[in-house]
Amino acid sequence: MKIGVLALQGAFREHIVMFKRCGALATEIRLPEELKDMDGLAIPGGESSAILRLMDLYGLRDALLSYAASGKPILGTCAGAILLSRSQNYLNLIDVRTVRNAYGRQIDSREAVIELSFSPDEPFRAVFIRAPVIDEAGKDVHVMASYRDKPVLARQNNILVATFHPELTGDERIHSYFLDMIS
Ligand code: GLN
């Protein structure tokens, strides 16, 4: 299985390490034509405004939209989730509204224990770093974990978003779940 990790800015190296640990081939993606061989794609956390500008510069928007339309899965974490949400009005691939940096300053970065709907027996340590809040999710969105009554992991068809950083804690469950979405 070949996974592309969008490597414009942010925590892409950590995703590559995680996918490799899960037994997939993972490579950095920067150009539209590099997408076509990938069975799945991850858009990492970072600064969503910077990633968005670079996506435009590299001509990636249309390529990402047709990639998603082909049914291949996309994982977006933190800034990646913001970019996939309807709030940026850019990719608009999952019907959730994200509000940037909305946990406020006091807890702008923190660790919390959450429960994954597909793996409830063992708690998952979620690391939030200036995370967005998902304050609205459409009826076709399947919420798979919440924190303080707000969704933090959600899926709509082939799109999976997490507002935290599953690539930073060494727990492979979210990356393996994503790989299962391919097969
Ligand atoms: N605060 C960032 C943004 O608004 C997201 C932070 C992250 O990806 N860790 O884009």
Side-chain angles (χ1 to χ4, degrees), residues 15-90:
H15 274 292
I16 289 183
V17 170
M18 281 299 272
F19 281 121
K20 286 185 174 163
R21 276 178 46 181
C22 295
L25 293 172
T27 54
E28 297 178 7
I29 297 288
R30 288 184 186 82
L31 301 172
E33 57 268 28
E34 293 170 334
L35 264 178
K36 63 176 187 308
D37 295 332
M38 299 299 135
D39 303 309
L41 175 78
I43 306 180
E47 208 44 53
S48 53
S49 44
I51 298 175
L52 194 148
R53 283 179 59 179
L54 291 166
M55 275 179 176
D56 256 353
L57 205 67
Y58 285 73
L60 274 161
R61 182 172 175 263
D62 289 347
L64 286 166
L65 290 175
S66 42
Y67 184 84
S70 75
K72 291 186 181 173
I74 303 182
L75 166 69
T77 55
C78 205
I82 296 170
L83 291 163
L84 289 166
S85 75
R86 64 173 199 245
S87 304
Q88 293 291 317
N89 211 6
Y90 187 71

Side-chain angles (χ1 to χ4, degrees), residues 13 21 27 39 45 48 51 78 90 94 122 150 154 157 169 175 179-180:
R13 289 183 195 86
R21 276 178 46 181
T27 54
D39 303 309
S48 53
I51 298 175
C78 205
Y90 187 71
I94 181 163
E122 204 188 316
K150 303 287 188 203
N157 303 317
T169 41
H175 290 78
L179 295 176
D180 286 345

